[in-house]
Amino acid sequence: MLKCEVCGKQADKHHIVYRSQGGVDFPLNFKYLCSEHHRGKNGPHKSRKLDVEFKIELQKKLNDLLCKDYYTIDELVCLIEINKGMLRRLLKDYKIYKEGYKKTDIIYRLMGKKIYTEDMLEEYYDFIANF
Ligand SMILES: [Zn+2]
Ligand SMILES: [Zn+2]
């Protein structure tokens, strides 16, 4: 049984970058959350703040994990445990240099073609204050 990372109850698999946002299957993109911590009011599908926090956390993990500037498909498959065919499809629109794909392109694509910044959390607070 998968356990919720917050409370330990039976959990579902949550995609930090949703599939609808271009997110794909690789272990770092998963969080295991029970129905309340997943779909409830304090879960990422209802709380925009938590959603963005999870995404910033994932983006940081990817940045730390990919410590070189370029990576080949095989290196990435090994490092982030992603399906090779899927990764090829994801990166087909990006330039391949002689050393491989650029780290920044890889992270950008894995994050669903977005760059998340801490400002996004502040924007959220402003939004709430005005609401
Ligand atoms: Zn829970
Ligand atoms: Zn989810």
Side-chain angles (χ1 to χ4, degrees):
M1 184 183 97
L2 298 169
K3 286 188 175 166
C4 174
E5 294 177 24
V6 184
C7 70
K9 286 191 202 148
Q10 189 176 346
D12 294 328
K13 191 193 274 179
H14 168 64
H15 286 72
I16 295 174
V17 179
Y18 309 167
R19 277 170 291 194
S20 61
Q21 297 171 328
V24 291
D25 286 3
F26 63 101
L28 282 178
N29 195 34
F30 301 148
K31 263 207 187 282
Y32 296 97
L33 299 168
C34 70
S35 54
E36 188 195 329
H37 289 117
H38 188 198
R39 304 268 174 194
K41 73 171 172 8
N42 296 318
H45 291 281
K46 294 274 159 60
S47 164
R48 172 73 182 144
K49 177 178 169 272
L50 189 64
D51 180 35
V52 172
E53 277 175 6
F54 282 174
K55 286 171 161 106
I56 289 175
E57 189 190 358
L58 169 62
Q59 192 178 258
K60 277 190 186 138
K61 281 186 190 165
L62 287 168
N63 254 307
D64 292 344
L65 186 66
L66 305 181
C67 50
K68 301 191 296 173
D69 290 332
Y70 297 91
Y71 281 89
T72 64
I73 294 270
D74 285 331
E75 285 174 326
L76 289 168
V77 164
C78 193
L79 260 175
I80 61 176
E81 298 168 58
I82 195 166
N83 175 279
K84 194 170 180 172
M86 183 168 62
L87 184 64
R88 274 216 182 90
R89 279 197 301 281
L90 289 181
L91 294 176
K92 74 175 175 355
D93 297 334
Y94 297 91
K95 187 167 154 70
I96 180 157
Y97 300 85
K98 71 173 186 329
E99 306 93 331
Y101 290 98
K102 221 178 188 166
K103 168 185 176 166
T104 48
D105 288 343
I106 298 159
I107 295 177
Y108 179 75
R109 182 58 194 87
L110 290 174
M111 293 308 299
K113 301 188 183 177
K114 239 180 143 139
I115 294 166
Y116 288 88
T117 60
E118 303 281 340
D119 306 356
M120 290 178 178
L121 290 170
E122 282 160 31
E123 276 164 37
Y124 165 82
Y125 287 120
D126 290 347
F127 172 75
I128 288 298
N130 296 330
F131 193 61

